[in-house]
């Protein structure tokens, strides 16, 4: 378990702070993550990777020459927000465009996609690529739905080495696509991981058993088998991966492969070497030539006791890129010339500060908010009360939400919702204190929720609050019809962004009927509090109904049967929130 922490909510930020302090030769901190501390040639494509904390050395430990130009770092097991990714990418960009790379998880897909749109709006050419190497998470016919696990490393490295060679953005992207298409991973575990501050692991494995086909966010395996010997584990990993070859590889014999035996957190190096000796023998028996194998902790999951095997089937070009030198805090290969520091953007050192001419103190500009009418500012008070109610109900049910999410997912829904709702309320209070109208209070809350929560829920709740804020505006007193219109727009925006529809076992199964019920009730002329009450009752029933559904999206999809009988965590939290907001509306009627 994770024993050394202060405030669990601050764990990711404090870990990143310590990492940058320890590795100033390679990285420097920027808002949202880290970028190279060394100079990058002008015009080179910037490869920016990222994901949640808890997987070190992914992702921050892979920043340096020959590998990533920057890494956006999210909270524990939660994707970084679009604003964090945009910040890191902007800092890493040197004129050649940006390739954003990440594991194939819904939250990462949403946030990195939004970041790419923001970069494009800034005039920075950007592309995205999601690594999807975990064969246990979907069949070959649905390979685009697979998770990204330890295969992140060879795919990131191929793209980054191509960027170092000066290739343009589209060619770097094609290299990533080629490497991704030829990379497969499979994992097993003997115990789950425990998040900072938690008193139990996200999943457990019975004694003398192992979980097969697990994820790296505490998702349970797709099955269980008897605890193997080291040789038996090696055979399972190798034989499973050799059953699925890339389309242009008919037979493993005579093929070359980059091989990674990855420890997920608690399996020690000596154990990995015992397993690898048999992995190497089995691949040799199959006629596979192993190229520069890696054995160690490369993509972890806190203290999970488990291992995974990754094969990247190489051609001449991919082998050249795999063998290319790299120098990062956690991954080094070959030899590079001495690095030039990034003097243009490096922070001032303490020594330099001692000899510098004292400057006049910089007084930060006071935050400003758009002008608002008195009616909108009064409505902002109700919005603030509603967000306070949201934060309180989420805090009261965070553990319950985590338990529901852990049935078939990674168990972090309660943590993420607590971080997001607390940050949203704080940002809303600050904006309200400056005299903001209802729309601005909601949009400031939206940005804060997305930034602090990260993950899928952060992106979706940021979208919900922003849609409401846009509908309410800062000029008029919002009436019931305007609020209902905003909720309807939020429902449409969430479906467009996440791609889910009713029946997929997501928050959409609650949001759509809630929005429809609210629109119908306000259309009948009911006051907002009464209309909201009716819609909240509909939401509660819809959330309970998700227990009878099988998930078709998200991390729970590979464990669909396990979730039957349990409501969706996102749907349940939304229903709780709609009822809490009703209480705030009654108090401010």
């Amino acid at each position: 378990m994770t024993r050394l922490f202060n405030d669990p909510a601050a764990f990711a930020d404090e870990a990143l702070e310590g990492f940058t302090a320890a590795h100033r030769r390679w990285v420097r901190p920027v808002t949202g993550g880290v970028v190279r501390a060394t100079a990058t040639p002008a015009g080179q494509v910037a490869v920016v990777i990222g994901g949640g904390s808890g997987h070190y050395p992914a992702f921050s430990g892979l920043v340096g020459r020959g590998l990533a130009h920057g890494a956006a770092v999210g909270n524990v097991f939660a994707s970084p927000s679009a604003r964090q990714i945009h910040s890191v990418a902007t800092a890493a960009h040197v004129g050649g465009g940006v390739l954003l790379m990440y594991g194939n998880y819904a939250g990462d897909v949403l946030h990195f996609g939004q970041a790419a749109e923001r970069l494009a709006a800034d005039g920075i050419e950007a592309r995205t690529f999601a690594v999807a190497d975990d064969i246990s998470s979907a069949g070959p016919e649905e390979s685009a739905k697979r998770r990204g696990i330890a295969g992140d490393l060879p795919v990131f490295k191929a793209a980054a080495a191509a960027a170092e060679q000066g290739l343009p953005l589209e060619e770097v992207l094609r290299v990533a696509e080629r490497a991704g298409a030829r990379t497969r991973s499979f994992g097993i575990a003997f115990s789950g991981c425990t998040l900072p501050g938690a008193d139990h692991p996200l999943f457990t494995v019975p004694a003398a058993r192992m979980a097969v086909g697990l994820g790296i966010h505490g998702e349970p395996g797709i099955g269980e088998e008897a605890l193997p010997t080291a040789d038996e584990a090696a055979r399972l990993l190798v034989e499973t991966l050799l059953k699925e070859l890339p389309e242009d590889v008919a037979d493993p014999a005579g093929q070359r492969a980059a091989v990674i035996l990855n420890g997920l957190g608690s399996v020690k190096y000596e154990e990995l070497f015992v397993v690898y000796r048999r992995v190497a023998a089995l691949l040799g028996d199959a006629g596979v030539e192993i190229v520069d194998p890696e054995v160690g902790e490369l993509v972890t999951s806190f203290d999970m006791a488990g291992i995974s095997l990754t094969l990247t089937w190489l051609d001449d070009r991919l082998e050249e890129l795999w063998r290319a030198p790299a120098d990062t805090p956690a991954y080094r290969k070959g030899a590079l010339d001495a690095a030039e520091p990034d003097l243009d953007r490096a922070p001032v050192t303490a020594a330099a500060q001692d000899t510098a001419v004292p400057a006049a103190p910089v007084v930060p500009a006071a935050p400003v908010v758009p002008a608002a009418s008195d009616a909108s500012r009064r409505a902002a008070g109700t919005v603030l009360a509603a967000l306070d109610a949201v934060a309180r109900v989420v805090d009261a049910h965070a553990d319950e939400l985590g338990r529901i999410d852990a049935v078939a997912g990674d168990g972090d829904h309660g943590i993420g919702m607590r971080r997001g709702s607390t940050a949203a309320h704080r940002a809303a209070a600050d904006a309200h204190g400056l005299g903001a109208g209802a729309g601005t209070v909601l949009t400031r809350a939206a940005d804060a929720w997305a930034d602090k929560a990260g993950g899928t829920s952060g992106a979706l709740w940021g979208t919900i609050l922003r849609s409401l804020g846009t509908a309410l505006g800062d000029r008029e007193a919002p009436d019931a019809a305007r609020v209902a219109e905003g909720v309807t727009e939020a429902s449409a925006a969430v479906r467009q962004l996440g791609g889910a529809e009713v029946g997929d076992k997501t928050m959409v199964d609650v949001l759509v009927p809630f929005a429809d019920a609210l629109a119908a009730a306000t259309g009948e002329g009911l006051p907002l509090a009464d209309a909201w009450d009716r819609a909240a009752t509909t939401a509660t029933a819809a959330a309970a109904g998700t227990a009878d559904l099988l998930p078709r999206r998200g991390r729970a999809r590979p464990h669909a049967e396990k979730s039957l009988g349990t409501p969706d965590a996102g749907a349940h939290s939304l229903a709780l929130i709609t009822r809490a907001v009703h209480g705030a509306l009654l108090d401010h009627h």
Side-chain angles (χ1 to χ4, degrees), residues 296-319:
E297 293 185 349
L298 295 161
V299 180
T300 63
S301 185
F302 277 111
D303 59 333
M304 183 185 292
I307 59 176
S308 65
L309 181 65
T310 298
L311 301 180
T312 297
W313 298 94
L314 303 172
D315 54 22
D316 291 344
R317 180 72 172 121
L318 290 178
E319 180 174 348

Side-chain angles (χ1 to χ4, degrees), residues 37 52 150 178 193 197 295 353 450 460 470 486 566 570:
R178 175 69 170 168
C193 59
V295 180
Q353 288 176 336
L460 298 181
T470 301
T566 302

Side-chain angles (χ1 to χ4, degrees), residues 269-283:
Y269 274 68
E270 286 86 349
E271 295 175 88
L272 291 172
F273 292 139
V274 171
V275 175
Y276 183 73
R277 54 175 272 288
R278 188 58 182 156
V279 166
L282 290 168
L283 288 173

Side-chain angles (χ1 to χ4, degrees), residues 46 48-49 85 89 98-102 112 115-116 119 126-130:
V48 174
I49 64 176
I85 300 162
V98 177
L99 177 59
L100 302 174
M101 302 185 71
Y102 45 91
F112 278 90
L119 290 167
R127 299 290 185 272
T128 64
F129 184 77

